[in-house]
Amino acid sequence: MGCDRNCGLIAGAVIGAVLAVFGGILMPVGDLLIQKTIKKQVVLEEGTIAFKNWVKTGTEVYRQFWIFDVQNPQEVMMNSSNIQVKQTCSEVK
C-alpha cells in the first residue's frame, strides 16, 4: 500500500512548493521582525539588554595603548630615511 514513483515525485514537488512559498513569505517578515527587535533592544534605556550590558559588563575591561615615539623625524622628512621608533605600552584597567 505504498506510494509508487509518480506519487513520490508529486509529493516531493508539493512539499517543495509549499516550503518555497513558506520561505518566500518568511524572508521579508523574518527580516522585519529581526530589525524591529534589534531597534528595540539597542536603545540604552532601562530595562533593555543593551542597558544591562552597558551598566555592568560582568567582566573587567582592560585596554592597552601602544605609543610610538619617532626618534628621527627630521631625517625622515628631509632624506626619506627609515623611521626609527621607540615603543611604549601602557595598560589601563
Side-chain angles (χ1 to χ4, degrees):
M1 184 142 188
C3 195
D4 63 355
R5 184 176 179 192
N6 286 338
C7 177
L9 289 174
I10 291 171
V14 169
I15 291 171
V18 168
L19 290 175
V21 169
F22 189 63
I25 292 170
L26 278 183
M27 283 183 2
V29 172
D31 284 345
L32 183 66
L33 289 174
I34 290 170
Q35 287 177 0
K36 185 177 177 183
T37 303
I38 289 173
K39 286 180 182 178
K40 180 181 172 187
Q41 290 297 326
V42 168
V43 177
L44 286 176
E45 289 180 350
E46 198 165 342
T48 62
I49 295 171
F51 183 79
K52 291 176 190 172
N53 291 336
W54 182 68
V55 171
K56 180 150 178 77
T57 61
T59 59
E60 292 188 29
V61 177
Y62 294 95
R63 294 186 184 108
Q64 285 185 324
F65 300 94
W66 284 276
I67 300 168
F68 295 93
D69 180 29
V70 178
Q71 302 293 310
N72 60 342
Q74 295 299 325
E75 291 85 5
V76 171
M77 290 183 354
M78 297 295 186
N79 304 329
S80 298
S81 300
N82 289 337
I83 298 176
Q84 296 175 358
V85 294
K86 182 178 178 184
Q87 177 182 350
T88 59
C89 176
S90 77
E91 291 186 17
V92 178
K93 195 174 189 184

